[in-house]
Amino acid sequence: MRAPGPASGVKMAPIRKAVSRVMKSLVMKFTLLTGALIFATVAILMTLESVSAHNETRNLLVERHVQALRSAASRLSDGFVNPRPIFTQSYLTEFQRSNNATEVYALNNRREVLGEAYADERDGGRLHAADLAVMALGAGDERTSIDGITVEIAVPVYTESRRLVGVLYSKIDLHELPSSRNAMIQRQALLAIFALLIFLPLAAMLVNRALKPIQTLTEAARHASSKTLDMRIHVKTGDELEVLANAFNRMFARLDGNLKRIHRLAYVDMVTELPNRERFRKEAERVARKALETGTSGAVLFLDLDRFKRVNDSLGIGEGDRLLEMVGRRLTEVVRGCDMSARRGGETSMVARLGGDEFTILVPEVQDSADAARVANKLVDAIRLPFEISGHQVFLGASVGVAVFPQDGADPETLMRHADLAMAHAKRAGGSAAQFFEPTMNQSAFERLVLENELRDAVSKNQLVVFYQPKVLMQDGSTAGAEALVRWQHPTAGLLSPGAFIEAAEECGLIGEIGDWVLRRACHEAAKWRMKGLEIPVAVNVSAMQFEREGFAESVLDALHDANLPPHLLELELTESIAMENPQRVIDQVEPLRARGVNFAIDDFGTGHSSLSYLTRMPFDVFKIDQSFVRNMATDAHDRIVVETILAMAKALKLETVAEGVETAEQMTMLRAMGATLAQGFLYGRPMPFENFIEFAEDNGTPRAVNE
């Protein structure tokens, strides 16, 4: 059997859709249910009536045939006493034909056949008396047997003197019975259809009328889900539905009131009755999107009150709130006047309070920057006028930043941030002025300013700490040195690695100051562990700004002198790029310190572009192999060749080498086999505080994994 194809599914789709639509209607559901109940009731009644009529018809037909057989028995009784075979046979044949009997025969009391007739072409003389005939002859009373439409009747034959002389037997098929039943079913089916056609619409009307209040409640709930709560449900049924409708009305009234209060709390500033930050953000988003679509321009103004904090502190918070309310009203009046003078018929400007003494103004349409400048200047002039608070005249100023959209930003966050940056520039310039946003006023510059202040505080408040990563001899694993690495113990962000702030320190010019602090701290702590008997040199990184500064050598010697640290226990690390930028200047800067015993190392060797002609002249003592080569030397043949070349070059120049980033025993084994003298990496120890490093060194720097 083939499965139905896609075409059949397409044809069935409208039917399924119609059924689905019908089943979504409560009225249709109840109407169909009522129709089903009516149909079931009619069907049951029809069945009962059909069975009763069938039985009645069958009984009538049986009774009719019994009467006919009785009459025949009365007519043939003399033939049983005085046999008349021809008459008896002729009568039975006629009886069979007239009554459509299947078979008819007569038996005397000795069970001898006196006559017989059949509907088929059966030969006579071979009769086998039916059990029913034998029973009727033996009992002397009538016997009837019904099997479907076949009826067997046996009537005893008596003489006038009531002597039993035989029995008449007839077998008849009641063909009238099925046709009568079919006719009755057709008649009842027509009656049922007629009843459904009459009562089903009536039932639908009654159901619709009964469910009308529920439909009203459902429609009200649908409107409520779409935030339409200002409505009233009118249901007057006097029952539970009316109680439910009244409960809905009370609930909707409360919800409507609560939503209005929530909307007020969410979008209105409670002090000034102006729109708040969220309302302003939504409106700015809508207006900026419209400006992009229509090709027009608008402006966002960020206003911060000057000297408000002093007034608030002197007069109190309550009077400060009153002053903010007065500022809000004055700003609104100025903006409304600007709208009227500019004849903005459709969109009007919005004044909002963000919080504290900060206000924002959204101007939806400006012809050019001069329009925004005029609005900003009028706002500044209006705030300069005195405010009357508790009998005192209060003078304020306003710094205004202006961002024009869409060129300065197309979303509210960007526009407000840019306007805020412009306002900050106006405030730093003296306040009571307006400033347009410029591309140079970006967020990164502002963050660098914040970071610069925090870094200055970090140095002055002793938030910087120095960690030390040990260097070990490849031969026996003993501690042979340490590299000083700065960390920032930020008061809120926790311990920060150099990657989080060194670049910013270089950009804002603090790297030199931080480098000097690290140099002095490292010298002092190296002197401390020397006092404990640990003759371990300390390596300090030197930045380009620090190295190129005049007086670099003197600052190093001062740090050694203040810490009472021998120069040979200090090693200064320069990156390869610094060393090769101006080789001659490097030689001039390094030689005086090397003459005093200070060692120098080229850090990250192999990553720059060293000139071999200058390399042999450079006054360095150590090559530090960059960890990028060490990390992949076990799997990358190129990196392995670079490491081997650096080690061979250092050996030819009689320089020490330090392999950075050693993390596995495999790397250590390969480096040792290549002739590396010193190693540094997580295999031996991570950067650690001063106290932990002393413990590490006193433990003789035994090679170990980091997690041991």
Side-chain angles (χ1 to χ4, degrees), residues 137-331:
L137 185 61
D141 56 4
E142 296 177 356
R143 295 295 174 99
T144 304
S145 175
I146 303 174
D147 184 11
I149 64 172
T150 301
V151 180
E152 296 179 68
I153 305 172
V155 176
V157 180
Y158 289 90
T159 61
E160 292 180 357
S161 60
R162 299 299 300 171
R163 183 169 66 89
L164 179 64
V165 294
V167 64
L168 279 180
Y169 171 83
S170 175
K171 185 177 182 180
I172 304 169
D173 290 335
L174 304 177
H175 295 290
E176 302 93 333
L177 194 60
S179 59
S180 175
R181 182 180 59 191
N182 292 337
M184 182 178 297
I185 291 175
Q186 291 177 0
R187 185 171 61 256
Q188 291 176 340
L190 291 175
L191 290 174
I193 293 173
F194 181 73
L196 284 175
L197 291 176
I198 292 178
F199 289 106
L200 194 59
L202 182 62
M205 184 178 65
L206 294 176
V207 168
N208 185 52
R209 184 180 182 85
L211 295 181
K212 190 67 176 178
I214 296 180
Q215 289 178 315
T216 304
L217 293 174
T218 304
E219 190 66 23
R222 186 179 294 111
H223 283 294
S225 65
S226 61
K227 300 182 180 179
T228 304
L229 298 175
D230 53 343
M231 59 182 173
R232 182 168 180 81
I233 306 172
H234 299 282
V235 174
K236 300 297 182 182
T237 59
D239 55 11
E240 292 86 351
L241 291 177
E242 183 175 350
V243 175
L244 183 61
N246 293 332
F248 265 84
N249 289 329
R250 290 191 296 270
M251 181 180 68
F252 289 157
R254 293 194 186 100
L255 285 175
D256 189 38
N258 290 337
L259 282 178
K260 290 178 179 177
R261 284 191 291 272
I262 291 172
H263 185 274
R264 175 178 171 79
L265 292 172
Y267 296 111
V268 178
D269 176 63
M270 295 295 102
V271 175
T272 62
E273 298 295 324
L274 294 174
N276 61 8
R277 177 187 292 270
E278 183 61 21
R279 172 73 185 285
F280 183 85
R281 188 192 68 79
K282 288 181 177 295
E283 186 67 13
E285 182 178 17
R286 183 189 67 81
V287 173
R289 187 187 305 113
K290 181 180 178 182
L292 281 175
E293 295 172 353
T294 59
T296 57
S297 297
V300 170
L301 284 66
F302 198 110
L303 184 147
D304 185 85
L305 297 177
D306 300 331
R307 300 182 298 278
F308 174 77
K309 186 177 185 304
R310 183 176 62 187
V311 175
N312 200 38
D313 292 341
S314 59
L315 297 181
I317 296 176
E319 296 300 321
D321 288 347
R322 284 189 56 206
L323 179 58
L324 290 173
E325 185 180 358
M326 295 173 67
V327 169
R329 285 201 300 268
R330 187 173 294 183
L331 293 176

Side-chain angles (χ1 to χ4, degrees), residues 310-476:
R310 183 176 62 187
V311 175
N312 200 38
D313 292 341
S314 59
L315 297 181
I317 296 176
E319 296 300 321
D321 288 347
R322 284 189 56 206
L323 179 58
L324 290 173
E325 185 180 358
M326 295 173 67
V327 169
R329 285 201 300 268
R330 187 173 294 183
L331 293 176
T332 303
E333 292 171 0
V334 172
V335 168
R336 187 180 297 117
C338 292
D339 286 345
M340 293 178 63
S341 62
R343 296 181 180 179
R344 298 190 184 97
E347 298 280 355
T348 59
S349 300
M350 172 185 283
V351 179
R353 177 176 177 248
L354 299 188
D357 58 353
E358 294 178 341
F359 294 82
T360 51
I361 297 92
L362 174 64
V363 183
E365 295 181 15
V366 295
Q367 296 298 323
D368 49 31
S369 298
D371 281 353
R374 280 191 289 270
V375 175
N377 290 330
K378 287 183 179 181
L379 292 172
V380 172
D381 293 340
I383 298 299
R384 283 199 186 107
L385 299 175
F387 294 88
E388 191 74 25
I389 295 290
S390 299
H392 301 281
Q393 279 195 337
V394 176
F395 292 88
L396 297 175
S399 299
V400 180
V402 183
V404 179
F405 56 85
Q407 52 262 44
D408 292 337
D411 60 274
E413 287 77 13
T414 302
L415 289 168
M416 292 171 66
R417 184 172 69 249
H418 288 171
D420 188 13
L421 281 174
M423 181 274 298
H425 276 258
K427 188 175 285 290
R428 284 197 298 271
S432 292
Q435 172 71 53
F436 277 86
F437 170 77
E438 297 177 1
T440 55
M441 304 173 190
N442 52 54
Q443 184 64 18
S444 61
F446 182 75
E447 291 177 351
R448 283 199 303 270
L449 178 64
V450 174
L451 187 59
E452 177 183 351
N453 294 331
E454 291 183 340
L455 279 173
R456 293 186 190 279
D457 291 338
V459 176
S460 61
K461 295 180 180 179
N462 204 28
Q463 294 176 0
L464 298 179
V465 294
V466 178
F467 278 37
Y468 298 92
Q469 187 171 28
K471 301 177 185 178
V472 299
L473 284 171
M474 296 294 290
Q475 294 178 353
D476 56 9

Side-chain angles (χ1 to χ4, degrees), residues 67 97 496 584:
Q67 289 296 335
R97 290 176 180 172
L496 301 179
Q584 186 57 49

Side-chain angles (χ1 to χ4, degrees), residues 15-196:
I15 299 176
R16 288 196 296 266
K17 188 174 181 180
V19 172
S20 176
R21 187 183 301 113
V22 167
M23 295 309 294
K24 288 181 180 178
S25 171
L26 192 61
V27 173
M28 290 303 301
K29 288 181 181 179
F30 274 90
T31 301
L32 292 177
L33 179 61
T34 304
L37 290 175
I38 293 174
F39 180 80
T41 302
V42 171
I44 292 172
L45 294 176
M46 286 172 55
T47 302
L48 294 176
E49 183 182 359
S50 175
V51 170
S52 175
H54 176 78
N55 292 335
E56 183 178 355
T57 302
R58 184 189 61 188
N59 293 336
L60 288 174
L61 292 173
V62 170
E63 183 62 26
R64 188 183 70 181
H65 287 290
V66 169
Q67 289 296 335
L69 199 59
R70 287 175 184 166
S71 176
S74 177
R75 292 286 302 275
L76 294 175
S77 60
D78 292 340
F80 280 77
V81 177
N82 301 308
R84 293 185 292 175
I86 296 175
F87 174 77
T88 301
Q89 182 62 42
S90 176
Y91 190 89
L92 292 178
T93 300
E94 182 63 26
F95 181 88
Q96 181 268 323
R97 290 176 180 172
S98 60
N99 289 279
N100 293 322
T102 304
E103 56 184 87
V104 179
Y105 54 84
L107 300 177
N108 59 18
N109 51 9
R110 293 186 297 275
R111 299 183 185 179
E112 295 174 347
V113 178
L114 301 179
E116 54 185 326
Y118 303 97
D120 52 12
E121 299 299 327
R122 191 185 311 174
D123 296 333
R126 299 180 180 180
L127 176 66
H128 178 72
D131 294 338
L132 191 69
V134 175
M135 293 170 60
L137 185 61
D141 56 4
E142 296 177 356
R143 295 295 174 99
T144 304
S145 175
I146 303 174
D147 184 11
I149 64 172
T150 301
V151 180
E152 296 179 68
I153 305 172
V155 176
V157 180
Y158 289 90
T159 61
E160 292 180 357
S161 60
R162 299 299 300 171
R163 183 169 66 89
L164 179 64
V165 294
V167 64
L168 279 180
Y169 171 83
S170 175
K171 185 177 182 180
I172 304 169
D173 290 335
L174 304 177
H175 295 290
E176 302 93 333
L177 194 60
S179 59
S180 175
R181 182 180 59 191
N182 292 337
M184 182 178 297
I185 291 175
Q186 291 177 0
R187 185 171 61 256
Q188 291 176 340
L190 291 175
L191 290 174
I193 293 173
F194 181 73
L196 284 175

Side-chain angles (χ1 to χ4, degrees), residues 574-632:
L574 301 175
T575 62
E576 185 179 352
S577 58
I578 295 175
M580 300 312 300
E581 183 175 359
N582 190 341
Q584 186 57 49
R585 176 168 175 78
V586 171
I587 294 172
D588 295 340
Q589 286 276 62
V590 169
E591 279 294 352
L593 293 173
R594 286 194 77 239
R596 298 292 186 93
V598 178
N599 295 310
F600 280 83
I602 295 183
D603 196 12
D604 302 334
F605 188 80
T607 59
H609 305 281
S610 299
S611 172
L612 295 179
S613 62
Y614 279 102
L615 191 61
T616 56
R617 299 168 47 200
M618 284 291 182
F620 289 106
D621 309 286
V622 180
F623 283 170
K624 296 195 72 175
I625 306 172
D626 188 74
Q627 60 181 346
S628 62
F629 301 116
V630 176
R631 183 185 304 115
N632 300 321

